Amino acid sequence: MKNNRRKLGWKRLSLCTLILMLCIPIYAQRPRPMEVTGRVIDAAGESMIGVSILEKGTTNGVVTDLEGNYSLRVRRGATLVFSYVGYITQELQVTGRALNVTMKEDAETLDEVVVIGYGTTKAKNFTGSVDVVKMTDSPIADMGLNSASDMLRSRLSGVVMGAESGTVGSSSSILIRGRKSINATSEEPLIILDGVIFSGALDDIDPSSIETVSVLKDATSLAAYGSRAAQGVVMVTTKKGERGRPRINFSTSHEFSTPTYNPTYLDGAGYIRYRNAKTNQENLNNTSWMSFIERKNYEAGKETDWYDLVTRTGYTQNYSLNFSGATDNVNYYIGGRHSDQRGMVVGNGFVRNNLTINVSTKLTSWIELGANINYTDTKDDETPASVDDARQTPYGRWRYYVEGGDATAINPVWNTYNGVDKENKYSNMVMGGFFKIDVPWVEGLSYRMNLSYTKNNSKQKAFTHESNKPAMLTDDWDGLGYSSEYYNLATANGSIRSSENTNWVIDNIISYTRSFGEHYVSSSLVYTRDYSRTIGEYYYGSDFTNAGNTLLGWYGLGNATNKNFDSPTYTMHTDIGYLARLIYSYKDTYHFNASFRRDGSSVFGN
């Protein structure tokens, strides 16, 4: 037995030795970390600040300092990726402890055409600050965006999107390079759709029809639109047809959403201890303070998870269909989109429909006509549950005042299912067109007229029936948590609020763009006018005791005992603007941009 044990021990020792001998070479071959330092310069030998340096395949990276220097700890033999806007991205393998890099300008990026106020120019010839987000051939196109504002979130420097409320269909505010108004209000930036001022919200534009979004941020960029551009400019260019066979594209996306954080609420026993500790009771299990509803549920062992009742798994579905094509003389794009969102909060739903039509035709080689239509309508007919009111006694009942003894303890899902009607509808129609002449006897000279007519309507209806808010209970109840005063016509009320906005814009633009050897000149003269009119109405009624019922809902506001019909509001103003702009470049190295803008408005006195 001893000899067998010795043999077994030697076998174990030999096996461990073999494993160790196999592991030593493998460990010796593992790449060991090392410190890499270097300097990044441009073709002129100038230091480049803020160049991104990333170890390929990892999240390990740094940016260059004010002198263009960097230091990064990486694995031996790693590949470093050097990237900077407007320059060609380079991937270099680490072969030593020093790695200096010369960045080269990306000629394709510099030659790209960027959209600026009342025209376009090449990026290399414009001195203003313009950031561009592309939709076509971009990963963004495959993300199933629910709105146009999602394109800008976390993708542009200096552009801050407001925090999402968690309510589907809600719009995010857009802040470009901070607040600029005297009282620090968060006014929205000016939106330009296909070169014309857009009198609507950014989310009124179908995200699947967008080609690019350009954001103008500095004074040079904003000068084209004068005072209206004080909060920045967001320029949206929609898609056009491409030469070749007609294309039919259909896409759909579906997503589920759940809360990233679920608060933990006390169970029944924990709630009892909390209430007693809060009132300094010696007996933490005392239940004498309970209302009769709470006591009946406590004795029956019934508990309610209110947070579970107000939340659910959210679901969003998007469908997009478009037709496009182009020939020598005709270009067209027709697209439609349907978006249906069900939020994570019970009773929160939102539906949006979009239609986009872009058509242009060349009457001759130097005359072109175009027309466009952008239409959107939204609907929100549900009443969301109150997440804040989910902090209730777990022994409450399914009624308005869950415990029957405290008027502040309100059922968080009561309004969603009981006696509250709501209808919110919004529509925005934009019809426009352009007429362009490329003067045949003067190369580079053109005249363009833009026309746009916008009409949007908003109507919000709400009605609270008599069955919504019962009185407080006494010990005499019917077992369902309802008192004899449950149906109280005096508490019934409703309202209708509507607004209508009409707007039109006319732009007259004369442009001259020409290159003379090493010289580049682009000039524009603009005369623009716009008109806006808004009409608002508001109706309110309460107490339907004399009417005897609320069967007509908001259509029966005239039967209310208390009526408030506000006088319609009416606002109207017109604007006029003149712009002169000159862009000059020499050898694509020396640039000069100058703009002059003069505005007039009916809001000022004579």
Side-chain angles (χ1 to χ4, degrees):
M1 289 295 291
K2 291 182 180 180
N3 292 334
N4 290 338
R5 289 177 180 174
R6 287 176 182 174
K7 291 180 181 179
L8 182 60
W10 278 107
K11 288 181 180 179
R12 289 176 179 173
L13 179 60
S14 299
L15 180 60
C16 293
T17 303
L18 178 62
I19 294 174
L20 182 61
M21 292 177 66
L22 292 174
C23 289
I24 289 175
I26 295 173
Y27 177 79
Q29 294 176 6
R30 287 181 59 189
R32 297 181 181 179
M34 61 180 293
E35 192 86 12
V36 180
T37 60
R39 184 167 177 250
V40 181
I41 60 175
D42 59 17
E46 298 292 333
S47 300
M48 294 190 63
I49 307 169
V51 176
S52 174
I53 305 163
L54 186 68
E55 182 181 0
K56 189 174 182 179
T58 72
T59 58
N60 178 34
V62 294
V63 295
T64 55
D65 60 18
L66 297 177
E67 301 297 329
N69 298 318
Y70 73 93
S71 177
L72 182 64
R73 191 171 182 81
V74 299
R75 295 170 292 123
R76 291 181 182 273
T79 298
L80 298 185
V81 181
F82 296 79
S83 60
Y84 191 77
V85 176
Y87 288 78
I88 298 174
T89 299
Q90 298 186 44
E91 295 187 7
L92 302 174
Q93 188 173 13
V94 176
T95 58
R97 295 185 179 277
L99 182 58
N100 298 320
V101 179
T102 300
M103 301 292 288
K104 297 179 180 179
E105 292 183 345
D106 188 346
E108 292 185 2
T109 301
L110 294 175
D111 285 334
E112 286 183 351
V113 175
V114 295
V115 180
I116 59 176
Y118 301 106
T120 60
T121 189
K122 290 185 178 180
K124 63 184 178 183
N125 297 320
F126 188 62
T127 61
S129 178
V130 182
D131 278 350
V132 182
V133 177
K134 295 183 178 180
M135 190 73 168
T136 305
D137 299 326
S138 168
I140 302 176
D142 300 323
M143 295 179 64
L145 301 178
N146 296 320
S147 64
S149 60
D150 287 344
M151 293 183 65
L152 305 183
R153 188 175 299 279
S154 302
R155 292 185 176 91
L156 296 175
S157 62
V159 179
V160 179
M161 307 296 296
E164 295 183 279
S165 66
T167 302
V168 296
S170 59
S171 298
S172 299
S173 60
I174 305 174
L175 195 62
I176 300 176
R177 287 191 172 178
R179 304 185 189 278
K180 304 178 182 70
S181 61
I182 295 176
N183 56 359
T185 56
S186 56
E187 298 178 13
E188 293 294 301
L190 182 66
I191 298 175
I192 308 297
L193 178 62
D194 289 329
V196 183
I197 294 176
F198 181 67
S199 299
L202 181 61
D203 288 343
D204 291 341
I205 304 172
D206 177 6
S208 60
S209 71
I210 294 176
E211 179 77 19
T212 61
V213 176
S214 302
V215 178
L216 311 184
K217 298 186 288 186
D218 66 350
T220 304
S221 305
L222 307 183
Y225 293 100
S227 60
R228 298 191 64 175
Q231 305 300 323
V233 178
V234 177
M235 308 193 72
V236 180
T237 302
T238 56
K239 294 179 180 178
K240 307 295 187 294
E242 298 180 2
R243 290 183 62 85
R245 294 182 178 180
R247 296 185 178 184
I248 301 176
N249 294 317
F250 172 77
S251 64
T252 180
S253 64
H254 302 261
E255 64 181 47
F256 296 90
S257 56
T258 56
T260 56
Y261 170 74
N262 290 314
T264 302
Y265 293 98
L266 297 173
D267 59 7
Y271 178 73
I272 292 173
R273 290 193 297 271
Y274 160 75
R275 285 291 299 266
N276 286 314
K278 186 178 179 181
T279 56
N280 297 318
Q281 296 290 327
E282 293 184 3
N283 180 12
L284 295 181
N285 296 316
N286 174 45
T287 60
S288 61
W289 46 266
M290 283 186 172
S291 66
F292 66 95
I293 288 181
E294 290 178 292
R295 180 169 296 282
K296 285 183 177 293
N297 286 329
Y298 170 71
E299 293 172 351
K302 296 180 179 179
E303 296 184 15
T304 302
D305 186 344
W306 296 107
Y307 183 78
D308 182 63
L309 290 176
V310 302
T311 57
R312 64 187 177 188
T313 298
Y315 175 59
T316 298
Q317 51 185 330
N318 296 313
Y319 303 91
S320 178
L321 176 65
N322 63 73
F323 306 85
S324 63
T327 64
D328 291 338
N329 297 318
V330 178
N331 187 298
Y332 62 92
Y333 176 93
I334 302 172
R337 178 184 175 89
H338 172 75
S339 179
D340 191 342
Q341 298 175 263
R342 188 183 76 160
M344 294 179 290
V345 176
V346 171
N348 178 209
F350 184 80
V351 176
R352 177 187 284 117
N353 297 298
N354 296 92
L355 174 66
T356 302
I357 300 176
N358 290 327
V359 180
S360 63
T361 179
K362 288 188 175 181
L363 302 181
T364 68
S365 60
W366 50 282
I367 298 179
E368 185 178 4
L369 288 174
N372 61 78
I373 295 176
N374 284 275
Y375 173 78
T376 182
D377 74 69
T378 65
K379 182 175 67 173
D380 173 12
D381 294 345
E382 297 186 84
T383 304
S386 173
V387 178
D388 290 339
D389 288 334
R391 295 171 293 181
Q392 305 293 355
T393 170
Y395 294 118
R397 288 294 300 270
W398 187 274
R399 61 183 313 281
Y400 190 79
Y401 299 114
V402 296
E403 63 183 56
D406 185 357
T408 62
I410 298 174
N411 188 329
V413 292
W414 184 266
N415 289 340
T416 305
Y417 298 111
N418 294 275
V420 175
D421 299 330
K422 189 178 75 170
E423 180 181 281
N424 290 340
K425 291 186 177 181
Y426 169 82
S427 66
N428 186 68
M429 168 70 80
V430 180
M431 296 181 292
F434 70 89
F435 172 69
K436 183 181 179 182
I437 299 176
D438 293 318
V439 180
W441 55 87
V442 181
E443 184 179 351
L445 181 64
S446 66
Y447 166 77
R448 178 179 176 122
M449 175 184 285
N450 293 325
L451 303 170
S452 178
Y453 173 83
T454 303
K455 187 170 185 178
N456 56 57
N457 292 279
S458 174
K459 182 159 287 189
Q460 300 172 332
K461 300 176 182 177
F463 197 89
T464 301
H465 292 269
E466 68 274 16
S467 60
N468 176 257
K469 190 176 180 180
M472 294 295 295
L473 292 181
T474 63
D475 289 343
D476 183 17
W477 60 309
D478 58 12
L480 297 175
Y482 305 147
S483 70
S484 58
E485 299 179 0
Y486 174 57
Y487 296 100
N488 188 354
L489 287 167
T491 63
N493 64 87
S495 64
I496 298 177
R497 185 187 300 274
S498 64
S499 66
E500 176 187 285
N501 177 265
T502 303
N503 178 281
W504 56 257
V505 180
I506 299 177
D507 298 330
N508 293 275
I509 308 167
I510 298 176
S511 302
Y512 179 73
T513 302
R514 188 81 183 274
S515 295
F516 304 92
E518 297 178 335
H519 303 271
Y520 170 84
V521 177
S522 177
S523 59
S524 301
L525 293 174
V526 179
Y527 168 69
T528 177
R529 290 190 64 115
D530 64 74
Y531 165 89
S532 179
R533 183 195 68 186
T534 301
I535 299 174
E537 297 177 339
Y538 177 72
Y539 308 97
Y540 176 81
S542 64
D543 189 353
F544 287 77
T545 303
N546 295 333
N549 62 70
T550 59
L551 296 177
L552 295 178
W554 48 65
Y555 295 111
L557 292 181
N559 299 324
T561 303
N562 304 315
K563 293 184 283 288
N564 182 8
F565 300 147
D566 286 353
S567 299
T569 59
Y570 179 91
T571 60
M572 183 274 290
H573 80 268
T574 58
D575 297 308
I576 186 172
Y578 305 91
L579 169 69
R581 179 175 58 208
L582 174 65
I583 298 175
Y584 170 75
S585 296
Y586 176 63
K587 291 185 176 182
D588 293 332
T589 303
Y590 305 98
H591 306 279
F592 174 79
N593 285 193
S595 299
F596 173 80
R597 171 87 188 204
R598 180 179 176 85
D599 292 291
S601 177
S602 62
V603 299
F604 300 114
N606 295 326

